[in-house]
Amino acid sequence: MTVFNIPGPLINDRYKSDPVGRFLDYILKRRGEGAPVVGLYCGYAPVELIRAMGAVPVSLCASAQRTIPAAEAVLPANLCPLIKSSFGFIRTNTCLLYELSEAVIGETTCDGKKKMFELISHLKPTHVMDLPQLPDEEDVRERWTEMVRKLKIFLETTFRANIAADRLEAEIRETNKKCRLIDGFFDYVTLHPPPLNWQELYDVIGLDAVTNSGELQSLMTGISRTLDERIAAGICFGTPASPRVLVSGCPIGGDASKVLKIIEEAGGVIVALEACSGMKGYSIRIEEGTGDPLRAVAEATLKIPCSCMTPNGERLAMLDEMIKRFNPDVVIDVVLHACHAYNVESYKIMKHVKERHALPSLRIETDYSDGDVEQIRTRVEALFDSL
Amino acid sequence: MTTTLGLDIGSRTIKLVVWKSGATVMTRKALTSYDPIAVCRELLHDAPTGPLVATGYGRHLVKEYLRCETISEIKAFAVGARAVFPSCRTILDIGGQDTKAISLSEDGRIDKFHMNDKCAAGTGRFLEIMATALGLSLGDFMTEALAAETSHPINSMCTVFAESEVISTIARGIARPAIALGIHHAIAARAVSLLERVSITEDILFAGGVALNRCMHKQIENKLDRKVHAPADPQIVGALGCALLAAKNV
């Protein structure tokens, strides 16, 4: 029988397992110190540039069912729930982070998003970055660097600030330090069975947004101590027989995390989260000391293997690395309804993991509602039964 | 010999199988209704007692109530299919709200499986709604389709859109049997594409409530260009698998 009761908080400070409280307190504190807040919708927005200006980058609300009805009064129902939810939050004034943001940055990652940005751009200074989507083209780095340069001009103009190259270089080093810390922490999920569950994994992912590298270092020391104690006491999640699951695909925070809950309830243990909302970003390093930090930041963000890229060979390469490191027994590819790019790419992903790694896989297409929980459960349980 | 029971709480029908001394000694069926626990109680109240395994959409609901083991439908069908058709390698199950294609290895293990997307397109429920749109009972719907000389293609697979398409087809004066056959064609094509995803081998079993529909059976055989075996009672395959697994656990 799988053990799912958490033996004691993984992060043993006053927030414990309250990542939202931690996040809000951090933003309010920084804002109180005079730092402007800049809202983001995607990992392609280079946070180092925002931090180098002394501002706080925040990921805006995008993953709750409750704001979708309000969005559907304007947007078509047959649209990705992430876009609908984002827009619904803004329309109902319920995303505190959006309210706090003094500017918003979007990207042309998909058609739905870029058209949605048009509908909110009159509310706050909103800058859309034109993301080149053919990563193998020769001039792709040049073009994206140019977009990052335009973002710099937008930020400097909007906030009447100056983003100095040495400040940007310092933020690059900060990001790299933090990514190394969190990426190193992922070693604990390679254990079989792991000493932590997916909620705790999520609690740690994202700590880099609310800490500097020194603070993160001390938090990680505490986390490692707790996990080492759990290992010594034989506390783990699942049994050696529990299927190890790599979850790939669309970002699945908020209400979409129902899928992760179902996987756990069906007896699976989540050992890797491939999505942007998961581990993907932490394996990317920004080149330090190049003399052109803006270009370094652009080149690093461009390495994110989003399905909007074509061909997206980098995603398969990153999956290979994750499979090698975390040893999953199955891959579950989660696609948000109407996300055509991830949906089409799912076929390639499933074929690749079957042929290259002999792993069975399952594609789940879902949204933020809970109407399909039992259907998903049937499919996940059947997948585990077939192992 | 121990008596064991298998219960399949499907979206439309609940099926009970009692297994004793290597044979099925009782089968019962009832509509699931809005209160599946009450229906289960009714099915079980004077049935023989013994270890019980449950499957189907309602399995988690009855788990606490009956204190029984639960298994996924895929496993239940894999075991049940080999009992009614020992050489079975491929299973097509079209039930009330799900369609499943399962391929089995030579020794009966689950090799691959695929299920329809979460919507009920191309399932038993879809057929029921289409029959109603045509003003027919399920039985007459099949009979009309079997007797049809021509087929009118139906393209929508979303239940709601397909209903509108059927209504507008009626309004255009297309003969009812042709529409009925068109609907059967569409569902059969969908089932075959699901089967293709698990790689079809010989000895195909067609199970689930929709396997009672002879027109669908014929259409699927035509599209696959091979024989498909439908057991005498295709609805109880999952429940039978449960009863057999319960017997194995004893």
Side-chain angles (χ1 to χ4, degrees), chain A residues 258 350 354 362-363 365-367 369 372 374-375 377-386, chain B residues 57 59-60 70-75 97-100 110-118 197:
Chain A
K258 67 180 175 184
M350 293 171 78
K354 174 93 193 160
L362 176 70
R363 185 182 65 92
E365 192 180 342
T366 190
D367 59 17
S369 71
D372 58 358
E374 294 309 316
Q375 281 98 322
R377 192 188 310 285
T378 297
R379 283 149 183 78
V380 171
E381 287 184 1
L383 174 71
F384 292 167
D385 271 352
S386 70
Chain B
Y57 268 95
R59 67 188 180 283
H60 294 292
T70 58
I71 56 166
S72 75
E73 287 123 283
I74 304 287
K75 194 168 180 179
Q97 65 175 25
D98 274 335
T99 304
K100 312 174 190 70
I110 301 161
D111 182 32
K112 267 193 259 174
F113 77 94
H114 260 281
M115 291 178 81
N116 59 321
D117 291 332
K118 66 181 177 182
R197 293 194 194 189

Side-chain angles (χ1 to χ4, degrees), chain A residues 185-186 189 197-205 273 279:
Chain A
F185 150 82
F186 293 152
V189 229
N197 63 13
W198 65 267
Q199 286 101 332
E200 295 178 317
L201 194 55
Y202 258 148
D203 288 348
V204 175
I205 288 169
L273 295 158
M279 299 168 158

Side-chain angles (χ1 to χ4, degrees), chain B residues 6-195:
Chain B
L7 195 58
D8 180 356
I9 304 119
S11 65
R12 302 293 286 159
T13 315
I14 300 180
K15 287 80 67 176
L16 172 72
V17 166
V18 181
W19 180 261
K20 195 183 178 181
S21 313
T24 300
V25 294
M26 178 191 279
T27 61
R28 280 179 174 173
K29 286 170 226 163
L31 292 179
T32 303
S33 85
Y34 64 92
D35 188 358
I37 289 187
V39 178
C40 290
R41 200 185 293 134
E42 183 66 24
L43 286 178
L44 289 167
H45 90 278
D46 61 346
T49 54
L52 186 149
V53 168
T55 190
Y57 268 95
R59 67 188 180 283
H60 294 292
L61 189 67
V62 301
K63 188 175 183 169
E64 291 298 307
Y65 177 70
L66 297 171
R67 303 200 167 279
C68 60
E69 195 191 321
T70 58
I71 56 166
S72 75
E73 287 123 283
I74 304 287
K75 194 168 180 179
F77 273 86
V79 173
R82 297 287 275 207
V84 297
F85 187 27
S87 59
C88 174
R89 293 289 300 277
T90 309
I91 305 163
L92 172 67
D93 162 49
I94 310 185
Q97 65 175 25
D98 274 335
T99 304
K100 312 174 190 70
I102 310 165
S103 64
L104 302 175
S105 62
E106 232 176 312
D107 58 355
R109 279 181 309 107
I110 301 161
D111 182 32
K112 267 193 259 174
F113 77 94
H114 260 281
M115 291 178 81
N116 59 321
D117 291 332
K118 66 181 177 182
C119 82
T123 64
R125 186 81 191 115
F126 182 87
L127 279 177
E128 281 179 18
I129 291 168
M130 293 311 123
T132 308
L134 289 173
L136 295 168
S137 69
L138 260 186
D140 291 342
F141 178 54
M142 173 187 81
T143 317
E144 285 226 352
L146 276 171
E149 284 167 7
T150 57
S151 166
H152 182 83
I154 294 294
N155 302 302
S156 307
M157 264 290 128
C158 162
T159 312
V160 179
F161 291 152
E163 195 179 8
S164 309
E165 189 177 345
V166 166
I167 291 166
S168 54
T169 312
I170 295 169
R172 293 212 319 266
I174 309 287
R176 192 159 71 170
I179 305 171
L181 184 56
I183 294 166
H184 281 75
H185 271 303
I187 297 181
R190 211 177 153 88
V192 167
S193 80
L194 199 70
L195 277 174

